[in-house]
Amino acid sequence: MSSPKPARRPLTGTLAAFAVTALAGGTALSSAGPATAAPGEPGLRPSLCGHDRRPVPQEYLCAKPGDLVEVRIGDVRPTQPSLGYDEVYYKLGRFTLGKDEINKKFDEWCETNGQGEAASAAPDARLDDPASFTCELPVGEETPESIAAMKTVVIGPGGGLYLTDGHHTLTSLYELPDGGADLRIRLRVVANLGQLPRQKFWDRMKAEKWVWLRDAQGDAVEVNKLPGNVGLDNFGDDPYRSLLYFGRDIGYEAGTIPFQEFYWGAWLRDTRPVGLDHWNTDDLAGYLGAVEALTKAQTALSPDSVVDSGRTAGELGVLAAWNDGKARDKGEFGKLAKPYGDAKPGKLAYALAYKARLTER
């Protein structure tokens, strides 16, 4: 049985207050200029680059691994050419059709920002008005667990922000009326390659496997064909990537390897361990059947089986037993099967309900 979640408690500051706050294991940097500390919070100071006493420039060229950088969503650059649209549709369905006490979009923002779940939200709360909602962890009181849950970025030439995890989350926030390109969020820096020439930068990105250069059909793409920004219209739709998302904690456990679901998706597309040619992505029963077939094929693999590009099933989080050993109507599969009419609909139900609304427009 999982541990109970910590009690929610109010956040004592707002988005502006974390702009340049020093954090354990890294420093939060900002492009927003000076900020004033909120009552009860430590004073703020400009981040430094070596012995240079000037504030860090907008390009983030001084950021170090572990730093938490505040960014404008419209400034991040994708490192993959496609998304699983149905994962984004699930998130947007949860945000716009959800039955949660506090709209799940605030949880999404708080978690991405390193502050755990949402603690409260005013009736008219908006993501672009951070004073209208609070997170359970105040800025400066982040935990290793809350920081580990953040999305990640590599600093590239000219201080460019290259997203290595979080394309679906940031796209979902981008697509919301109170989100968009100007919404600000923090990301965790995994490397600063800003001083490398562009060709060497991409060589390093490929060597570290921080970029995914296959499209929705599995064909190779060049780095100059990657999208320039997040947002659904900028990406191709990879249905196998969607399918893998809904199989989390049924056939495999999500981990820290960038593009984990894409490796599994490539295995599914290339080896065809199960027949999915006629799977219906608009029908709950049909989609559930596809998830079940996929995840049972995953758990039939040994941990040392190579899945794709040298990555093994064990590295990619394969579970020892389907649905973590639970009955079909229990565990994550049981949750996933809940229809939209249920008090707590499953992820698939939200995705399908949102897609249905799109076709009605």
Side-chain angles (χ1 to χ4, degrees), residues 80-95:
Q80 63 190 53
S82 59
L83 295 173
Y85 273 32
D86 286 350
E87 177 179 343
V88 177
Y89 292 153
Y90 152 65
K91 291 176 182 289
L92 293 175
R94 187 77 177 268
F95 301 160

Side-chain angles (χ1 to χ4, degrees), residues 89-90 93-94 97-99 340 345-354:
Y89 292 153
Y90 152 65
R94 187 77 177 268
L97 307 172
K99 303 180 180 183
Y340 183 67
K347 292 179 178 179
L348 269 177
Y350 275 124
L352 298 179
Y354 186 81

Side-chain angles (χ1 to χ4, degrees), residues 94-288:
R94 187 77 177 268
F95 301 160
T96 59
L97 307 172
K99 303 180 180 183
D100 305 281
E101 182 179 351
I102 297 177
N103 192 312
K104 188 69 174 177
K105 68 183 177 182
F106 298 113
D107 277 338
E108 195 91 343
W109 189 95
C110 290
E111 179 181 288
T112 302
N113 210 53
Q115 297 179 257
E117 295 181 334
S120 66
D124 58 350
R126 294 174 56 90
L127 287 174
D128 53 10
D129 178 11
S132 67
F133 65 95
T134 63
C135 304
E136 64 179 351
L137 296 175
V139 169
E141 295 186 20
E142 295 84 353
T143 66
E145 292 77 15
S146 72
I147 290 173
M150 296 176 71
K151 307 309 180 185
T152 54
V153 67
V154 170
I155 309 301
L161 299 161
Y162 291 84
L163 193 65
T164 56
D165 178 49
H167 294 80
H168 292 78
T169 294
L170 266 62
T171 289
S172 302
L173 298 177
Y174 180 94
E175 293 291 336
L176 288 170
D178 56 340
D182 289 330
L183 187 68
R184 305 189 74 84
I185 198 77
R186 288 189 302 181
L187 303 174
R188 178 167 50 85
V189 175
V190 294
N192 188 333
L193 308 180
Q195 302 304 322
L196 292 180
R198 188 160 297 275
Q199 184 58 54
K200 289 189 176 180
F201 165 75
W202 284 115
D203 289 344
R204 177 73 180 278
M205 291 288 283
K206 294 174 187 176
E208 298 286 353
K209 297 183 178 179
W210 287 334
V211 60
W212 182 262
L213 293 174
R214 280 179 266 177
D215 65 15
Q217 291 72 48
D219 298 324
V221 298
E222 299 296 328
V223 295
N224 62 353
K225 299 299 183 183
L226 289 171
N229 196 4
V230 297
L232 277 173
D233 289 344
N234 296 314
F235 294 93
D237 180 17
D238 185 341
Y240 292 124
R241 174 59 180 76
S242 291
L243 187 60
L244 262 302
Y245 172 70
F246 296 116
R248 284 185 180 182
D249 299 317
I250 301 171
Y252 74 102
E253 181 180 15
T256 58
I257 293 176
F259 314 111
Q260 179 183 13
E261 283 93 349
F262 280 113
Y263 289 114
W264 279 116
W267 166 77
L268 184 59
R269 179 183 293 107
D270 296 342
T271 67
R272 297 187 177 276
V274 291
L276 297 175
D277 291 342
H278 302 293
W279 128 60
N280 187 349
T281 61
D282 295 319
D283 174 73
L284 180 59
Y287 218 133
L288 276 171

Side-chain angles (χ1 to χ4, degrees), residues 15-23 26-37 42-48 55-56 68-70 139 186:
L15 179 60
F18 69 60
V20 285
T21 306
L23 296 174
T27 304
L29 308 177
S30 173
S31 62
T36 303
L44 303 177
R45 62 178 179 81
S47 299
L48 308 177
V56 174
L68 310 182
V69 295
E70 180 196 339
V139 169
R186 288 189 302 181

Side-chain angles (χ1 to χ4, degrees), residues 334-357:
K335 294 178 186 177
L336 189 67
K338 299 292 186 184
Y340 183 67
D342 194 87
K344 292 185 177 180
K347 292 179 178 179
L348 269 177
Y350 275 124
L352 298 179
Y354 186 81
K355 283 202 293 184
R357 295 290 182 95

